[in-house]
Amino acid sequence: MNPTQSDIASCDLRFELAAAIEDLRHYRGHGDHAAVELMLAWIDALLDEWNRRAR
């Protein structure tokens, strides 16, 4: 897959990751440890999908 195809395939994930990171910061700031754990798992799943699409 050339870089252009990879960029297109991961474009929607960029927005999801940005939103998830913003949410993670929010929950950390409010001390919501359960939500932080969920957000970390969600970010991990998004990164796994990103890597899957890049192959």
Side-chain angles (χ1 to χ4, degrees), residues 17-37 39-40 43:
L17 278 166
I21 291 167
E22 185 176 328
D23 289 346
L24 176 63
R25 288 182 181 138
H26 170 80
Y27 293 126
R28 276 189 174 154
H30 286 86
D32 188 340
H33 302 292
V36 166
E37 291 299 317
M39 292 311 303
L40 289 171
I43 291 168

Side-chain angles (χ1 to χ4, degrees), residues 2-55:
N2 67 44
T4 303
Q5 289 171 322
S6 178
D7 288 345
I8 292 170
S10 62
C11 185
D12 60 329
L13 293 176
R14 288 182 187 149
F15 297 111
E16 286 290 332
L17 278 166
I21 291 167
E22 185 176 328
D23 289 346
L24 176 63
R25 288 182 181 138
H26 170 80
Y27 293 126
R28 276 189 174 154
H30 286 86
D32 188 340
H33 302 292
V36 166
E37 291 299 317
L38 288 172
M39 292 311 303
L40 289 171
W42 176 235
I43 291 168
D44 190 45
L46 289 170
L47 291 173
D48 285 347
E49 178 61 16
W50 187 307
N51 289 328
R52 185 192 67 78
R53 291 183 186 186
R55 288 186 207 136

